[in-house]
């Protein structure tokens, strides 16, 4: 509905070790999750899928930037470093 404010709350957070090879969240997001909050300690490339493999052709998430992205329930998030390793934090947001 127009003009109605929708509030989302953080629930589960998963950490992904970002390195030279693609790495994904251990668990897929829940059945009620349609938005994730992403923040990384390093520049990295991100993708979403049921069984994702990130490449340096995927979109870039700069270090320290918080992004809220839509995701389909049951998907995982994968990341690969741009030039240095670090950590990616993926937080499920629910109503």
């Amino acid at each position: 509905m127009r003009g109605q404010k929708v509030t989302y709350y953080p629930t589960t957070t998963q950490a992904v070790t970002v390195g030279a090879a693609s790495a994904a969240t251990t668990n897929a997001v829940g059945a009620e999750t349609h938005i994730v909050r992403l923040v990384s300690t390093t520049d990295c490339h991100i993708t979403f899928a049921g069984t994702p493999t990130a490449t340096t052709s995927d979109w870039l998430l700069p270090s320290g930037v918080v992004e809220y992205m839509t995701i389909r329930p049951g998907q995982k998030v994968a990341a690969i470093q741009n030039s240095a390793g670090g950590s990616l934090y993926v937080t499920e947001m629910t109503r």
Side-chain angles (χ1 to χ4, degrees):
M1 297 173 73
R2 289 188 164 208
Q4 215 173 20
K5 192 175 195 179
V6 178
T7 303
Y8 288 86
Y9 300 95
T11 58
T12 305
T13 298
Q14 297 183 65
V16 177
T17 300
V18 178
S22 178
T25 52
T26 302
N27 300 306
V29 299
E32 299 298 318
T33 300
H34 297 276
I35 296 177
V36 289
R37 177 185 184 268
L38 305 171
V39 65
S40 180
T41 62
T42 188
D43 294 350
C44 59
H45 299 270
I46 307 290
T47 193
F48 307 141
T51 308
T53 301
T55 70
T56 55
S57 297
D58 292 318
W59 65 275
L60 178 69
L61 176 65
S63 175
V65 173
V66 176
E67 286 281 358
Y68 290 85
M69 304 293 295
T70 58
I71 191 169
R72 290 187 178 108
Q75 288 189 319
K76 294 182 178 183
V77 180
I80 191 169
Q81 73 184 30
N82 189 52
S83 61
S87 296
L88 169 68
Y89 298 95
V90 179
T91 302
E92 295 181 43
M93 304 297 292
T94 58
R95 290 185 188 191

